[in-house]
Amino acid sequence: MSIKINKKKKITFILPHLNGGGAERVCLNYLRKLKNNKFDISLIVFDKTTDLINLIPEDVELINLKTKRISKSLLQLIKVLRKNKTDYVFTTHYTVAFLLSIVKLFTPRFTHLARIPGSPKSEKKHNYYGIIKRYLFGIGLRSAQISIAQTSEMLEEATEVFKLKSKDCIVLSNPIDTLLIDECMREDFRLFNPEKYNIVASGRLHPVKGYDILIKAFSEFNKIQQNNHLYFLLYSFIIIMIYNIYKF
């Protein structure tokens, strides 16, 4: 009598680096939530920087291409994906999604899940990238079997800006690593006033992030729920901008 053994599916995450950006953190949050008894997980990076390396579980295979630049990573990426014969590939950068659209021509078939990292409408409005890059990014996203938007509004924007088909897109909110948050809260360190209702925004200081909208919304929110402070955490530097309703 033969015993059937279910082979674990292979899933590969691809990041240009491990710097502390939002796209990188979201990618690692997805990675950390997967169960290793169901998936064989690997992470490919083009440059093994160290900002977020401590967040990679020990049982995840980390593959460093040592190419540093995306433009120099094509051949190495083809070589690695041909070798590990992965079932799924997850990307969270436009440029990596486009690179993968070329890689697919030379590797065994896999399912590409491409996360849309930002608001396509806002990126276009603020000229975050030019027409040529927008065209190439669209090729990368359309080549994916599944494109992942953070909200339904972002999905609609992506179908308009990148000409995606809505049937090939899904909405998945950014995962939150609650275990890491709980672990950090056990440390005897407090940055924020516990007597206040603290709201924190984190990321790059760039018009595409819409912090102006957040500030206006915070002003309206403060009319309903008072005793609030709004903080901005920008990369590894903490710039505290306390917006009190009485100062607006």
Side-chain angles (χ1 to χ4, degrees):
M1 179 178 178
S2 61
I3 300 175
K4 185 178 180 181
I5 300 176
N6 293 325
K7 184 180 178 181
K8 291 195 295 185
K9 292 290 187 180
K10 290 186 177 182
I11 180 167
T12 301
F13 294 80
I14 303 178
L15 287 173
H17 48 70
L18 292 170
N19 293 338
E24 290 75 25
R25 281 301 302 266
V26 170
C27 179
L28 292 179
N29 284 350
Y30 274 116
L31 182 152
R32 287 163 61 89
K33 283 184 174 293
L34 291 178
K35 304 297 183 182
N36 280 72
N37 61 339
K38 294 183 179 180
F39 296 96
D40 184 359
I41 307 171
S42 60
L43 171 63
I44 296 175
V45 296
F46 304 151
D47 186 15
K48 186 182 174 183
T49 50
T50 59
D51 287 5
L52 300 174
I53 198 168
N54 63 310
L55 296 180
I56 303 174
E58 293 182 357
D59 51 5
V60 171
E61 181 185 12
L62 177 59
I63 303 172
N64 181 19
L65 299 186
K66 300 179 181 180
T67 51
K68 295 188 178 182
R69 296 177 62 87
I70 293 177
S71 59
K72 296 181 179 180
S73 303
L74 177 62
L75 296 180
Q76 288 294 324
L77 190 56
I78 291 174
K79 181 180 178 181
V80 171
L81 291 180
R82 286 180 67 126
K83 180 180 179 181
N84 70 7
K85 295 181 175 59
T86 189
D87 297 294
Y88 303 95
V89 175
F90 180 93
T91 63
T92 186
H93 289 77
Y94 293 130
T95 48
V96 179
F98 172 70
L99 183 66
L100 213 60
S101 68
I102 302 174
V103 169
K104 285 180 179 180
L105 302 175
F106 307 96
T107 58
R109 296 186 65 176
F110 55 78
T111 299
H112 178 197
L113 300 93
R115 175 181 174 271
I116 301 168
S119 165
K121 184 177 179 180
S122 181
E123 291 165 348
K124 184 177 180 181
K125 175 183 177 182
H126 294 286
N127 296 315
Y128 195 56
Y129 38 75
I131 297 176
I132 295 177
K133 283 190 175 181
R134 188 181 307 122
Y135 174 76
L136 296 178
F137 295 164
I139 292 176
L141 293 176
R142 290 193 298 273
S143 74
Q145 280 71 32
I146 301 175
S147 293
I148 301 172
Q150 301 167 45
T151 64
S152 56
E153 292 81 8
M154 189 179 292
L155 189 152
E156 293 179 4
E157 293 176 11
T159 57
E160 177 183 346
V161 174
F162 295 119
K163 311 303 179 186
L164 304 183
K165 296 179 180 179
S166 57
K167 67 180 183 63
D168 298 328
C169 303
I170 62 173
V171 175
L172 282 179
S173 300
N174 290 340
I176 298 176
D177 193 338
T178 54
L179 292 178
L180 180 62
I181 293 174
D182 290 341
E183 181 180 337
C184 293
M185 289 180 65
R186 286 196 291 267
E187 298 181 9
D188 188 19
F189 174 78
R190 293 195 177 188
L191 175 64
F192 308 116
N193 187 344
E195 297 181 358
K196 303 291 184 179
Y197 191 87
N198 301 297
I199 301 174
V200 181
S202 177
R204 291 176 291 108
L205 188 59
H206 191 282
V208 75
K209 293 296 184 179
Y211 291 125
D212 55 328
I213 299 175
L214 173 60
I215 294 172
K216 293 176 182 177
F218 179 74
S219 176
E220 294 300 316
F221 173 70
N222 231 1
K223 295 176 182 178
I224 304 172
Q225 170 74 44
Q226 298 192 359
N227 197 31
N228 309 302
H229 279 180
L230 173 61
Y231 298 82
F232 287 89
L233 307 184
L234 307 178
Y235 285 147
S236 58
F237 298 96
I238 300 177
I239 301 178
I240 303 177
M241 305 173 66
I242 303 176
Y243 289 89
N244 189 308
I245 188 61
Y246 302 109
K247 295 181 180 178
F248 282 154

